[in-house]
Structures are given as structure tokens and as C-alpha cells.
Amino acid sequence: MPQIVTASRLADGVVVFLDDGGGWTERLDRAAIFAGKADSAAGLDAGRTAEVRSLVVDVYAVDVALQAGVPVPTKLREAIRARGPTILPEFTKPGSTPAQVQEDDHVSV
Amino acid sequence: MYRYDEFDAQFVAERVAQFRDQTGRRLAGELTEDQFKLHRLMNGVYLQLHAYMLRVAIPYGSLRSKQMRMLAHVARRYDRGYGHFTTRQNIQYNWPALQDCPDILADLATVEMHAIQTSGNCIRNVTADHFAGAAADEVADPRPYAEILRQWSSLHPEYSFLPRKFKIAVTGADRDRAVIQAHDIGLQVVKDASGALGFRVWVGGGLGRTPMIGHKIRDFLPEADLLAYVDAIVRVYNLEGRRDNKYKARIKILVHEKGVEPMREAVEAEFAKGPKGLTLPADDVARIRAYFAPPAHAARPAASEIVAQRRGSDPRFAAFVDTNVAKHREAGYGIVTISLKPIGGIPGDASADQMDVVADLADRYSFGEVRVSHEQNLVLTDVALDDLPSLYDALEAAKLATPNAGLVTDIIACPGLDYCALATARSIPVAQRISERFGEGERARDIGELKIKISGCINACGHHHVGHIGILGLDRKGEETYQITLGGSGDETASLGDLTGPGFSTDDVVDAVETVVDTYLGLREGADEDFLAAYRRVGMAPFKKALYERDAGREI
């Protein structure tokens, strides 16, 4: 199953994802996608380095399924963590749902 | 209310400076997370699902209006414009940045507030009856004792690293509004035959994964021995409580494994060793009590003409007075519950603007004080009955006048999987759907007093074990599943709820709750028999049948 690597940003606690450039993004749709557990090990190593540098805390890998190009976590806890509280739609995180990405695509970036 | 003396003020200021230094060193990479975490938690800063969470202490749930305005300021400036009032009478902010926390704590210190001992294996915020000082049925105000316990337990060197967290609650009335029997120590202020004040003492209550009702180990403890006796209990626990297993480390497990009588004997033996300087001097008790002196109530007629007139023309106002206004010890005054449970809303949440409104209304109508209840509502304790119509109108304008205190929609819910890193299922959406199902009309009023409490994991922050209807959200093979318990109670007749049977899916749980309520309505012996009384009379069978044998019933 594909995986992404996530963490919490140290300074503000915001949920972040490892991106393709080895940096950290708040946008789920820009997370680096690893083909499986074996591949995400390199991402976890990068995460641990960032932990040592006090950029992020609590690094771990999350199983995802691709939906319209967005890696959506398969477990409810991780899906809510990536997307925001289900009770407050106004706090839905940008880039966290396939619908939002399609909208962005339509507007054309 | 209690005011800081110079020592308190200096201590809190020093603590803020320490935490600022610790946070700075963490952000600079000089401290690792493992090194920093303890300091962070000792200042109320958790890392949750989406962000950090800051839990601010509100000792025994009492606030001055100025403090409430500061809570609004923190919500507005450092968070997302709202806060969440908790079952420990505290407030939690869901989105603070770690780098802002020292500034937040510095701002809070300007109004004598802090986040010390809102986390960790120490004595947590001491809770009390939210009607304290005003309730008609009260023997004495429990808050002076809660304040004495707070001062004694703050950074107590012997009790800063207990086997596990430790919670104390105090009430001053026979009617227990503070769930004292579900606490590590529960205290009830009573008078003996000679009229002297003292305490009934319970020990070993608690919810969580192993719920237990506390055991009474003293019928009367003289007032002067409060600290010496509580000290003896905590000392026995500190020495004998388990440290090998986090899940068996609370005092309730010690009491259970040791036995109530041996526990009582151990506490009495420790207590008998001598007061160790902890006997309360009467002068000091009087000095603390003076901080909680009743406000200057005016002489007023017992009934209000203005209220009577408005009642006649405004059914919703009448419903508000019936459900949200409790009897005050002074004639012509009432205790007003401000519901933080709007129909379909998030239990316990208040916006910064609403906090400001409540602070203003406290100044105008209730001597500048606000209470936070463990049921996640706010309370104005000293409102002249003649002021009720104008207070109601002001609350209504701020969407704070829902007439549902104690009714089926006055639901306790923990933050659940929408915020909490430990949760296994969502709580808030279930509360919202139940609230919408029953609404605030005639039907909800007809159901009468009914306490629904929802937790999103077995840690039971939503007190589900003592809900008349308790709901526990679990993760069953990746799906949210909700177990229902019936017949729990957190009052003076405390009891743990009984499990109905297999859990319900998120789609079915609200229907299941409605089935339970309809079953109650069908079997009660009249509107005077509330849900809990009816359940205790008939037991589980009819509810179980209605929940699980509906199809079988149709075939008959």
C-alpha cells in the first residue's frame, strides 16, 4: 500500500508532510508518495534527520489510497488529522481533499 | 474570590520566565523533545491531532469577569477565536503555536491565571460544585477548602511525581453536582451534631478504562484535619500505588486490590502519626473564607412580577426560567446556567465574542463572577430574578440562551477523534446529531432530566460511565462503533452504567439513543419519574429488548 510520511511542525504543531524535495508541506496533495513500506523507510530517515534538527516532531508513515491524485489516508484517525476536524468545514486544510484539488486544477495554477 | 498574594504572583511570574527559557532552548535545538516534553506538559501544553493544545487551569471553575475577558483575548489573539470548556472546569485551546505559549502564559499571569498542574502525574485542578456559595441546599461554600487544597498541592515536592494523575472534588451540599464519588478523593462539607464543619471523605473513585465508584472512608473529618487527612491518603497512595503499569496506577486500583478496610486502616494509621504541621489554623481558614464572602445581595421579594409577566407572553423565556434557573439561597435571586449546548452545536465550545458577552453580563447582573461547570456550561450564580428578562435577551442575542440545562440535549462530550490524539472515535458529531434529533421543543422538555455523556475512547473524559445514557466510541476494525450504557449517575446516588450489549454503527447510534428514550417514555410511571429512576425500577431488560429484538417483536 502506498505511504506518505507525516510529522508535526515543532514551532506551531501544524501537521506537515514530507514532500518530493525533502522539505515539509502543509498540503496533503503535495506529499511525497512512497510505493510501500520498503520505500517509505528513506522518507522516515529524512524525517528523523528533521527531528534531530528540531524542525518537526513525531515522524511516522501513513498508509494512503490515491484519490484524484491526492493521497488520502486509509485510517480514519489519519484522514481526520490530514483534513481537519470533521465538525468545522471552515478549517478543512487546503489541498487535503480530492474536491479541492479539482477545484484548484479548474482555476489553473 | 481568591486573589493572589505577592508570593503567588512572583511564583507564577517565575514559572512563565522558566517556560519561556525552556521553549526558547527547545526551538533553538538545545533541548530534545524527550528533554522538553516534561516541561511542556507541566505547563499544560499537549501535542494533539492537529496542533498543540493548551489547557488553562480554572481553579474550582470560578472566574472573575476580567479573567473571562483574558480567556477571550487568548482565543482571539493566539488561537482561532474560540475555546473549549472541559469536564475539569478548565478551558482548552485547540490551535496555539508552541512559540506563542510563553506569551499566552504571561498574558494569563496578568489576571492571576496559569496552566500549572493541568497535566502530569500530580494533583490536578481541584473541582467544586459550580453552584457553590449560592445553592439553596448548601451546608457551606466548598471553594475555600478547594482553594486550601490548591495552595497545599501546588508544586508539592512530595506529590509532583505520583504514580498517576490525582483528582480531588469538593461539594458543600447533599445534592452532589461535582461528581465527587468518581474522583480519587471526594469531599463533602457537612456539619456534625454540634454544628461544627467537617467532611465526609470518599476515596478510590475514577472513570477511565477501569471505572469505579469511590468508597466512603470517613463519615466526619473535622475541618482542621482536612490537609492532614488528605495528605495521609496521598502519602499511602504515593508509597503503595503501582508504578509498574500505567493502567493500574490510579488510587482506585490500589483501593480495589488492597481492599477498602485495609485502605482505611492504612490512611488512619498514617493520619495518626501526627499532624506534621498540617492542622489548619482557624484564622487561616477564616482568611481564605473571607475571599469567598457572598456578594452584597439586596433585599428582594421572593417572586418577581417582571418574570411572571414575561413568562405569560414568551414560552421560550418560560422554558429558560424552568430549566436554566436554579434556586438561590437568597430570596429574589436565581442561579443561571448559560448553556454551551446550542442545538446541533459543539458541547463546551464558546467563541471569544461569547466569552466577552458573558464577562459583560457577569459585571452587569452577577457581581462580576462566572463559573464553569463540569457539565461544560457557564453559570452566573447571583442574578436578581427581576433581571432575568434582560439577561435572557442579551444571552439570546449571543446565541447563549438555549433552554436545555439538564435536558437530553445538555450533552457532555469529549473532543474525540476530531481533535484528540488518543481518541478512537468521534464524539462531537454524535452529540450534535442527538441534539438535532431531540431539539429544544415540547418533546425534549417532556423527556425531562436526562444526562447523556459521550467519550471517544476508554479514557472516559466524557464521563460516559456516569451518564444516564453513556456512549463510548471505539474503533472496531477501522469503523467507529458506539457502545451504550444505561443507568449511570454522577450524583449522590452515583452508579456506573450497564452495557446494553453490542455496539452501534455511527449511522445507527442516534436511532439507538432515541429507541432508549422512547422506551423510557413508554414505561415511566408519570412525568415525575425521570429516566434514571425509571431505569432503576425496571432494569435493563425492556431497553435491551427494544434495542436488539425489534425485529423479533414485530413478528409477534
Side-chain angles (χ1 to χ4, degrees), chain B residues 78-112:
Chain B
Y78 300 103
D79 209 271
R80 294 193 178 180
Y82 68 102
H84 179 74
F85 290 97
T86 78
T87 54
R88 272 223 87 61
Q89 299 178 301
N90 290 325
I91 186 170
Q92 293 178 177
Y93 295 102
N94 295 306
W95 307 93
L98 175 62
Q99 58 202 4
D100 289 338
C101 285
D103 288 339
I104 297 173
L105 295 177
D107 285 357
L108 290 168
T110 65
V111 294
E112 305 179 353

Side-chain angles (χ1 to χ4, degrees), chain A residues 8-15 51-54 56-58 60 75-78 80-88 91 93, chain B residues 26-27 29 31 33 47-52 80 82 95-99 346 417-419 421-423 426 428-429 432 478 480:
Chain A
S8 300
R9 195 158 58 203
L10 173 67
D12 57 11
V14 167
V15 174
E51 262 185 304
V52 171
R53 292 176 57 210
S54 293
V56 298
V57 292
D58 199 16
Y60 60 100
K75 289 204 168 66
L76 180 64
R77 178 188 194 275
E78 297 307 324
I80 292 174
R81 183 170 175 274
R83 186 170 175 165
T86 60
I87 49 180
L88 295 163
F91 292 160
K93 300 173 189 182
Chain B
R26 174 70 185 113
L27 292 171
L31 294 178
E33 185 64 12
L47 183 59
Q48 284 286 22
L49 207 57
H50 305 290
Y52 290 101
R80 294 193 178 180
Y82 68 102
W95 307 93
L98 175 62
Q99 58 202 4
I346 297 173
L417 195 51
D418 280 299
Y419 290 105
L422 299 176
R426 286 173 289 173
I428 295 168
Q432 289 176 306
E480 290 168 301

